[in-house]
Every structure is written in structure tokens, then in C-alpha cells.
Amino acid sequence: MSTANLIILGAGEDQVPAYVEGRRLGYRIIGVDQKPDALGASLADEFLCLTTREPEAIARRLGAIDVAAVISPASDAAQASVAALSRHYGTAFQPAPDAVRASEDKGYFLSVVEKLGLPRYRSVHDSDPDALARAAAGLRYPLVVKPADASGSKGLRCVTDPADLPGAISTARKHSFSGEIVVEEFVSGTHYSVECFARDGRPELTIVTERTLTPMPHMISVSHLVPASLSCAVRARLQDMVTAVLAELGHRNGPVNLDVIAGEDEKLYFVELGARLGGNGMPRLAAHAYGVNTVAAAIRLAAGRPPELTTHAEPRVVMLRILTADTEGVVTGIAGADAVRALPDVAALELFKEPGQRVHPYTQAAHKLGYLIVAADTRESLQRTLDTALTTLCIDIEPDQTPQEITS
Ligand SMILES: Nc1ncnc2c1ncn2[C@@H]1O[C@H](COP(=O)(O)OP(=O)(O)O)[C@@H](O)[C@H]1O
Ligand SMILES: [Mg+2]
């Protein structure tokens, strides 16, 4: 009998664990990414250098083969293709259409939140920039302007001055495939992310992380910490809200990741949802903190096998810190990585760049350089290890010359 095929859409750092787990589970891996040098490309048995957004082209290239499962961790943009290819190959798991739509259209997701009567900030969405600017006139500043269908903070801006609104709309438009833009009121509060795995319509696994972000205007995730300090009552409320959203979307089984803000009014505001495994290293954090392999669970579910979601009872305090650059340039050397890995509380250090490669300032999540995971007994000792690790690790970057330097 030939080995069953697993199609993985995307081959970036947040899809790489699926290549590793898929192989461990015995699948033949077909990877797809438009970047020929994507991190996971060399881990695939067969690699298609194609955009993940065109399922017909992917199916045409693959021809009449048997496919056991299709997945795309961390990518909202690929979920419509996951659904189309799952249908085409008749795989065991078929994504719920409304869950796919909510993943790729933030405006639609917010309308679902509204329909359910859950806390909701004011927002408007449109594909016509002038109509959008007019509609936004009734909203209270600061505003968050974002493409309805992008992720990783691409094209997202926080606007405090009405004069900057048209520019922010035009930036968002450049990053939107559908052309649809959302303008929202800014919610002040504490940011969380919820990594959940549904079984038979219930969130069987719910991991809540405390999130830190880069400052305005980009607001990109910098770290996730578990366990989040939330009361049992707030956790229960969040769990009920997630259950209601899953039911409304018909997402009865599988991973789902949500961004949540606990507002100053103590209400919980959902910001967005992706009916797939979370990005920013979320499955790595889940594995280190709770001993659960959500990547294997997602692959097994997609192939019609029962997922295994048992967790450790009590985690230590665990943080996933995203490593970033603050300048445009080229990596000239990396030192201290082994010393960081040898620190007692460092659980993992992964670097995605090597000398000679180009790096960019952290203006979107895709520009990350690596993940550092620290597990400690207390928040204080975690912070000490984090500080030591960040000063020990030296990623030398030769910055690009500015035009002034070139002429002087
Ligand atoms: N209306 C808002 N008020 C406050 N913060 C927001 C708002 N919208 C987004 N953010 C913050 O910015 C982050 C990125 O926005 P999000 O809609 O999740 O876009 P992306 O798909 O790029 O992750 C959110 O996770 C949240 O922390
Ligand atoms: Mg988000």
C-alpha cells in the first residue's frame, strides 16, 4: 500500500511543525508555498512552488492522486483553499463554510459577534475608500484600520488624527485581496489570545495567553504568556463565548484561534478568529506549557482519525517571545545561541535567519527572526531568564546605508 498524502498549504515557520508531525505520523508530505526558499520546502516529499490561494492550480499540478488530509496552520488566507482541496479530494474532514468565511473576513466575523449579542465595539467596513471614510466619521478616535482579509498585522494602522485616515485606508487596501477594509474603534484593555480545539461542538482544549504587542501604530504580537492571570469567572465567560461562536459558525471540530481584548469596562471583546491552529508559535507554546500536541491532533482530525488532546495538569509559567530586528539590513553573524539554549529555564530557541540573509524591522509578523521559549516557576524568574537570554543572544545586522550616508 502506498503512503497516504498530506497536503500542507504554506511552508513558513508556523507551518513547519506540521511537516515534522505529518512525517512522524507516517504521511507523505506535499508542501505548497509561493516562496521557493520557504523554511519548510526542504522538509516536504514533494514541494509545489505555487500560491496557496489557487486550489485549482494545486489540484491540476497534483493530478489524480489520493489525499488523506489537507491543512494550513496559522494561515487565514489559505483556509478557503483547504476547504476547496478537501472537497476536491473527498477527505474525511470538511471545514464548515461559515468558519472559513469568518477566518478570511474580519467584517463578517464581527457581524457574527454582533448577532450573538456578545460585546462589540463600533466598526464599519467597505471596499470603497470614500464611502468608508464617510462611514467612519461617526466613530470615536483612535481608530484601527485594517484589511478585512489579511493577517500578521499586514496593512494594519492605528489612527489618532482624522487627517491620517485616508492614508491608513489606502495602506490597508494595498494589503487586501478582496479590497474590503475594516475601520474599528480602538478598545483600550489587556490583550489575550485563545488557542482552542473543538470536539463535538465544545471547546475541549482552551489555552488563554496574555499577549504583549508592539506599540501603535502596528500592534504586532511580541510575546505570549501562560497561564494568563484571569479569574475563574472570566475564564468561564470566555469559554461560553467561544462555545457560542463555534455553534454559530458550525465549527464543531478542530482548532480555532481567537484574539480577545479585556476592555477597561471588563467586557471581553473578540477581535478576530481563525478556524485553524494559531500562528506566532502557538502550538510550540501549547506543547511546552501543557504537553499537548495540537499539530498532531489537527492532522489526525483532518484525516478522520481521533485527535489526542490530553494536557499536563499544571503548567509552569511559560513565555514564547518573538525575536525581531529593529533595522533593515543583512545578518552578518549570530552568537550566543548555544549559551542561551543551555540556560536552565530556556525550553527552546529557534532561529529562522542565518548569516547572509536579509531582515526587516518588525512592522509585520512575517518579519520575525525566531522564537524563544522560557519556562520558569515564577513570573519574576522567567523575566530574569528572558533578560539574560536576550542580552546573551547577539544577532549582528549590517544596516542598509541610508541615502545620506551614501552621498556623504
Ligand atoms: N479595535 C481594536 N482595538 C484595540 N486593539 C486592536 C483592535 N483591532 C486590533 N487590535 C490589536 O491589533 C492586533 C492585530 O489585529 P488583528 O485584527 O488581529 O489583525 P491580524 O489579522 O493582522 O492579526 C489584535 O490582535 C489586537 O491586539
Ligand atoms: Mg490577530
Side-chain angles (χ1 to χ4, degrees):
M1 200 187 95
S2 62
T3 316
N5 288 303
L6 167 65
I7 300 180
I8 304 174
L9 301 182
E13 65 272 0
D14 283 318
Q15 284 98 33
V16 159
Y19 288 70
V20 175
E21 284 305 314
R23 183 174 298 277
R24 196 182 60 80
L25 292 170
Y27 291 100
R28 178 178 176 275
I29 312 292
I30 301 172
V32 184
D33 199 299
Q34 63 187 353
K35 291 191 191 138
D37 58 348
L39 272 186
S42 60
L43 302 175
D45 294 287
E46 179 178 356
F47 179 72
L48 307 185
C49 187
L50 291 173
T51 167
T52 59
R53 288 179 176 270
E54 290 174 11
E56 299 82 9
I58 295 168
R60 230 180 2 255
R61 280 277 289 277
L62 291 174
I65 58 168
D66 284 334
V67 172
V70 187
I71 63 162
S72 184
S75 169
D76 290 328
Q79 295 312 309
S81 297
V82 169
L85 289 167
S86 301
R87 207 164 42 239
H88 178 80
Y89 289 108
T91 60
F93 181 79
Q94 298 289 317
D98 286 346
V100 173
R101 185 171 170 206
S103 306
E104 59 179 14
D105 180 350
K106 290 176 210 261
Y108 171 69
F109 173 64
L110 292 176
S111 73
V112 169
V113 170
E114 178 151 328
K115 182 173 173 203
L116 290 169
L118 300 175
R120 173 86 160 83
Y121 44 80
R122 288 193 299 168
S123 70
V124 291
H125 54 102
D126 208 301
S127 53
D128 172 16
D130 296 330
L132 193 60
R134 277 197 302 278
L139 302 181
R140 193 192 56 233
Y141 281 73
L143 300 177
V144 182
V145 182
K146 51 176 105 160
D149 59 347
S151 59
S153 298
K154 285 193 286 288
L156 180 144
R157 289 282 179 288
C158 193
V159 176
T160 48
D161 181 344
D164 296 332
L165 184 63
I169 290 175
S170 121
T171 302
R173 211 144 188 276
K174 287 189 197 121
H175 290 88
S176 170
F177 283 85
S178 65
E180 188 89 358
I181 311 300
V182 188
V183 180
E184 313 179 342
E185 289 187 347
F186 176 85
V187 184
S188 291
T190 319
H191 294 246
Y192 299 91
S193 137
V194 184
E195 181 79 345
C196 171
F197 207 108
R199 287 289 293 282
D200 301 325
R202 302 281 317 163
E204 181 165 317
L205 172 76
T206 308
I207 297 174
V208 185
T209 77
E210 262 174 50
R211 215 149 55 87
T212 60
L213 309 170
T214 61
M216 288 182 190
H218 295 297
M219 299 193 294
I220 319 167
S221 297
V222 174
S223 68
H224 287 275
L225 179 83
V226 291
S229 57
L230 286 175
S231 70
C232 291
V234 173
R235 275 177 196 275
R237 178 150 46 100
L238 189 53
Q239 182 95 352
D240 288 347
M241 289 170 61
V242 173
T243 307
V245 169
L246 296 178
E248 183 63 27
L249 297 176
H251 184 72
R252 294 185 49 76
N253 288 290
V256 62
N257 181 270
L258 299 107
D259 288 345
V260 185
I261 303 172
E264 283 162 356
D265 55 7
E266 302 200 346
K267 289 182 179 162
L268 297 170
Y269 294 91
F270 282 139
V271 176
E272 69 155 348
L273 166 146
R276 35 81 184 158
L277 291 168
N280 285 329
M282 202 56 74
R284 293 161 171 92
L285 181 63
H288 282 285
Y290 297 92
V292 61
N293 188 337
T294 53
V295 181
I299 295 171
R300 289 177 63 91
L301 179 87
R305 297 157 71 184
E308 165 58 56
L309 290 163
T310 316
T311 52
H312 292 154
E314 265 304 307
R316 299 171 80 199
V317 184
V318 186
M319 175 183 277
L320 185 146
R321 172 67 147 75
I322 295 161
L323 304 173
T324 62
D326 49 20
T327 174
E328 196 80 42
V330 172
V331 178
T332 52
I334 299 176
D338 289 341
V340 169
R341 291 191 182 103
L343 291 170
D345 285 347
V346 167
L349 170 67
E350 280 183 71
L351 296 171
F352 309 134
K353 297 287 175 189
E354 46 190 52
Q357 289 189 308
R358 174 154 285 284
V359 295
H360 310 279
Y362 195 49
T363 53
Q364 51 176 272
H367 293 172
K368 59 176 81 86
L369 307 186
Y371 291 139
L372 170 68
I373 301 182
V374 180
D377 291 326
T378 63
R379 288 188 178 219
E380 292 69 29
S381 63
L382 186 141
Q383 189 59 50
R384 278 195 299 275
T385 299
L386 182 68
D387 292 344
T388 308
L390 293 178
T391 47
T392 305
L393 182 67
C394 284
I395 302 180
D396 290 318
I397 297 166
E398 172 78 39
D400 289 353
Q401 286 186 319
T402 60
Q404 207 175 1
E405 281 169 334
I406 292 166
T407 51
S408 63

